[in-house]
Amino acid sequence: MLKLYDDRDSGNGYKVRLLLHLLEMPYELVEVDAIRGETRKPPFLAKNPNGRIPLLELEDGSFLPESNAILFYLAEGTRYLPDDRLERARALQWMFFEQYSHEPYIAVLRFWKRHTDKTPETELQWRDREKRGYDALAVMERTLAGQDWLLGDAPSIADVSLYAYTHVADQGGFDLAAYSGVRAWIERFPGLKGYAPFGGRLRDHDGRRA
Ligand SMILES: N[C@@H](CCC(=O)N[C@@H](CS)C(=O)NCC(=O)O)C(=O)O
């Protein structure tokens, strides 16, 4: 069975948990406390030298880190990854955007708000992250104002990837009021067959819906 090393509070991990549930793929969850530094201890570093969750262990014992690489692997041959060459590249396009232009701002501000205090020294950094986070939301809005999902008519791993931190962007202080396309897109997710909320159904999944 697939084994997922993950922390319940991680949005990067939630991407993978959400896809596993949407695809109704059974998996065993191994909880790792990232805040307490468990990912930086030798037993975990032996599995992922980059010291981060999520980490997928395949049936043959090989390890795959990086949330978006895991999504790509799991979605192969399913409705969440199109067959068309350009569409597949577009899914990757959005996932690289997520890692470079979205997650470092929207996820990091959420983390800072929950775990640190703003100080006069960090005020400028916070404001810069906020501006760049809104820039990322504006990019998403341009697409989602005109279509239901990032690739068009159907949800894909591009949507799963970007949903994880966008739907909790308010926890980082982001106001989505001006992004009606993004808000409507967020509201579509709970209607997907197999949807699992962030923080919900963290226990091992037996392939049936709870
Ligand atoms: N690019 C990675 C980022 C993973 C990441 O930042 N994981 C965090 C939790 S969200 C982590 O493991 N932090 C613990 C640490 O860095 O020690 C991915 O998308 O999987």
Side-chain angles (χ1 to χ4, degrees):
M1 193 190 278
L2 294 169
K3 210 184 260 187
L4 180 67
Y5 297 81
D6 200 1
D7 183 311
R8 65 176 63 239
D9 199 39
S10 165
N12 284 311
Y14 174 56
K15 294 172 201 171
V16 178
R17 297 193 303 269
L18 176 56
L19 185 67
L20 284 162
H21 284 271
L22 290 170
L23 294 174
E24 299 193 324
M25 283 182 180
Y27 68 99
E28 180 188 341
L29 183 84
V30 182
E31 290 200 54
V32 181
D33 193 333
I35 299 284
R36 292 211 174 146
E38 270 184 45
T39 62
R40 301 289 164 158
K41 293 186 177 150
F44 189 86
L45 288 172
K47 299 180 178 73
N48 178 12
N50 198 28
R52 289 184 170 88
I53 51 88
L55 174 69
L56 187 69
E57 183 174 346
L58 308 181
E59 284 92 347
D60 69 359
S62 47
F63 293 102
L64 182 63
E66 290 298 329
S67 57
N68 288 337
I70 299 171
L71 294 186
F72 191 80
Y73 174 83
L74 292 173
E76 182 70 37
T78 77
R79 65 193 183 283
Y80 277 87
L81 182 62
D83 292 332
D84 178 77
R85 185 179 177 184
L86 181 57
E87 290 296 295
R88 290 165 77 84
R90 289 228 185 280
L92 290 176
Q93 172 205 318
W94 279 111
M95 293 196 293
F96 288 123
F97 163 82
E98 191 269 341
Q99 285 285 287
Y100 192 78
S101 303
H102 182 287
E103 196 258 16
Y105 310 116
I106 294 181
V108 169
L109 263 191
R110 171 177 176 266
F111 184 86
W112 285 357
K113 286 229 180 216
R114 290 156 73 91
H115 299 286
T116 65
D117 289 320
K118 204 192 294 188
T119 63
E121 292 76 42
T122 56
E123 170 95 38
L124 271 180
Q125 276 184 353
W126 283 56
R127 258 194 271 147
D128 180 60
R129 300 253 170 178
E130 192 173 271
K131 186 205 167 297
R132 289 166 191 264
Y134 278 118
D135 288 347
L137 292 170
V139 170
M140 292 174 68
E141 180 66 22
R142 282 184 68 142
T143 293
L144 292 169
Q147 60 195 49
D148 281 0
W149 303 101
L150 290 167
L151 299 189
D153 295 338
S156 71
I157 50 174
D159 300 287
V160 172
S161 174
L162 277 150
Y163 175 74
Y165 285 111
T166 307
H167 87 295
V168 290
D170 60 312
Q171 295 175 7
F174 290 94
D175 179 0
L176 298 186
Y179 304 87
S180 56
V182 173
R183 279 189 286 114
W185 169 80
I186 287 172
E187 281 163 19
R188 274 176 210 117
F189 278 82
L192 294 174
K193 185 174 180 294
Y195 176 83
F198 199 173
R201 292 202 288 180
L202 257 183
R203 295 262 66 85
D204 299 353
H205 179 53
D206 63 5
R208 290 193 305 268
R209 295 187 65 183

